[in-house]
Amino acid sequence: MRADARRNREKVLVAARELFARDGEGVQIEEIANHAGVGIGTVYRHFPTKGALLTEMVRTRFQRFTEIALAAEEIEDPYEAVATLFTESAIAVEGDAGFQLAMMGVEDLEWEGIEQEKAAFAAPASRIIERAVKAGAVRPDMSVDDIPMLMCGITSTMYFGPGGGEWRRHLDLILSGLRPN
Amino acid sequence: MRADARRNREKVLVAARELFARDGEGVQIEEIANHAGVGIGTVYRHFPTKGALLTEMVRTRFQRFTEIALAAEEIEDPYEAVATLFTESAIAVEGDAGFQLAMMGVEDLEWEGIEQEKAAFAAPASRIIERAVKAGAVRPDMSVDDIPMLMCGITSTMYFGPGGGEWRRHLDLILSGLRPN
DNA sequence: TACTATACGGAAACACGATTCCGTTTGTCA
DNA sequence: TGACAAACGGAATCGTGTTTCCGTATAGTA
């Protein structure tokens, strides 16, 4: 690949990241191109469709979750590990409207492309939850399948709520609801 | 207003209700018209824009919340009143994807049109929360402003979650998180 | 029944954004 | 320094869905 091509690809990615974070799926290709300082054609040279470009954004963000889960697994206290998993994940999503919408499932992105990332996250996350359940630190019926649901709720509060950190209260309620009985 | 006009207006409303519930903001005017058995022009005769029609849908649904709040206020037990308020509201939204999206704030509807309905709901809802707080049945820091946030979370679970009633678990967690300390 | 204000239907005009296409420019290599 | 494949820019094209417009049909009334 030619040097300028690699450079432009990177510029497109950076611009897309910023604008997708601000506007979600609503970003226009032309705007991304302008912001990156390249032509529309160049965007299409690197990504076959708008969806492919945005899926790329989501994939990157998702990988961050896996890092967080891996780090949380190292925490001694089983409950703290769970709390950290949720809290850090929420923080990672804060300020990225596009990803928030993606988490909520309202953007029609090609989630197919990120199965692999999902699995990579599910493994450590499962271990964290299982450990907490065994230790009696959370409800006995909690499972890894609750994570998308709960994150979805927190995320939507984040997206919907006026500016501030209202989502922290929501998270707080959920964490307290997760304690046994 | 001529009799046929009134009849058609009603047919449009019914069709719009059904299709908005199924597809959200994505419904097409032509589809609504076909479903109602009228022409596109007739839809526009009764509602100046698509947004005006959909706002009408949301307004109707919202009024249902007020009825629920008013009924919940009659419940003796202060905690039960809160729990009922949330549970019944959630049930009212179940199965209406359009309204779910509206609650989550992702449809760009003209919410201005429903300020009045909002206020009508806030009054009884406030009384319910205040009573529960005074009775020590919920966290002392709970307020009526938590309702949109929490409903938003529940609603998004409903929309996002695969079919079933997963949202009941989310609601369950939230209600248990709302208990004092 | 004849008249007229209303209302109707749906083809056409519009709006808007994704994607294509091709003439031009640029990086790379001999 | 050519030569040429790779990459670029952005006008033009296409697709899709909303809204307008106007000739036709109908309810209501004398």
Side-chain angles (χ1 to χ4, degrees), chain B residues 47-65:
Chain B
F47 301 92
T49 63
K50 182 180 177 180
L53 173 55
L54 299 190
T55 297
E56 192 56 34
M57 308 287 93
V58 174
R59 190 207 314 285
T60 314
R61 286 282 183 176
F62 207 89
Q63 286 167 345
R64 173 82 188 112
F65 283 165

Side-chain angles (χ1 to χ4, degrees), chain B:
Chain B
M1 188 187 268
R2 251 165 60 172
D4 57 344
R6 189 171 12 261
R7 216 163 32 238
N8 279 330
R9 185 190 161 87
E10 199 48 43
K11 284 198 287 184
V12 167
L13 241 15
V14 168
R17 204 118 55 205
E18 179 177 336
L19 296 175
F20 180 62
R22 197 186 69 195
D23 302 333
E25 185 172 61
V27 240
Q28 284 161 234
I29 294 292
E30 190 176 351
E31 204 183 359
I32 291 175
N34 289 157
H35 205 269
V38 303
I40 296 174
T42 300
V43 174
Y44 277 94
R45 169 165 316 288
H46 294 290
F47 301 92
T49 63
K50 182 180 177 180
L53 173 55
L54 299 190
T55 297
E56 192 56 34
M57 308 287 93
V58 174
R59 190 207 314 285
T60 314
R61 286 282 183 176
F62 207 89
Q63 286 167 345
R64 173 82 188 112
F65 283 165
T66 305
E67 291 170 32
I68 288 170
L70 254 13
E73 208 180 351
E74 300 302 317
I75 296 171
E76 289 289 330
D77 184 71
Y79 174 76
E80 274 312 309
V82 173
T84 302
L85 176 61
F86 278 98
T87 309
E88 291 297 319
S89 298
I91 291 172
V93 176
E94 202 176 9
D96 187 337
F99 192 53
Q100 284 160 23
L101 288 166
M103 292 263 17
M104 284 155 56
V106 295
E107 313 258 310
D108 42 333
L109 300 170
E110 301 143 22
W111 283 87
E112 297 77 45
I114 67 165
E115 288 308 327
Q116 205 180 324
E117 282 75 11
K118 260 179 162 167
F121 168 77
S126 294
R127 292 194 294 267
I128 291 172
I129 307 287
E130 250 171 68
R131 178 157 66 104
V133 167
K134 280 206 180 104
V138 299
R139 293 173 165 228
D141 62 349
M142 186 181 178
S143 97
V144 69
D145 297 332
D146 291 334
I147 296 181
M149 168 185 92
L150 297 173
M151 282 303 295
C152 177
I154 295 164
T155 300
S156 70
T157 301
M158 207 177 263
Y159 180 79
F160 181 68
E166 300 199 5
W167 62 269
R168 286 178 181 277
R169 157 176 278 253
H170 191 152
L171 173 57
D172 189 36
L173 283 167
I174 283 175
L175 287 176
S176 114
L178 281 173
R179 302 312 297 249
N181 80 0

Side-chain angles (χ1 to χ4, degrees), chain A residues 64-105:
Chain A
R64 173 81 189 113
F65 283 165
T66 305
E67 291 171 32
I68 289 170
L70 255 14
E73 208 180 351
E74 299 304 316
I75 295 172
E76 289 289 329
D77 184 71
Y79 173 75
E80 274 311 309
V82 173
T84 301
L85 176 61
F86 278 99
T87 309
E88 290 298 318
S89 298
I91 290 172
V93 176
E94 201 175 8
D96 187 335
F99 192 55
Q100 284 160 23
L101 288 166
M103 292 264 19
M104 284 155 56

Side-chain angles (χ1 to χ4, degrees), chain A residues 106-161:
Chain A
V106 295
E107 313 259 311
D108 40 334
L109 299 171
E110 300 144 24
W111 283 88
E112 297 76 48
I114 66 165
E115 288 308 327
Q116 203 180 327
E117 281 75 11
K118 259 177 161 167
F121 167 77
S126 293
R127 291 193 295 266
I128 290 172
I129 307 286
E130 249 171 69
R131 177 157 65 104
V133 167
K134 280 205 181 105
V138 299
R139 293 172 165 230
D141 62 349
M142 186 182 179
S143 97
V144 69
D145 297 331
D146 291 333
I147 296 181
M149 169 185 90
L150 297 174
M151 281 304 294
C152 177
I154 294 164
T155 300
S156 71
T157 301
M158 208 177 262
Y159 179 80
F160 180 69

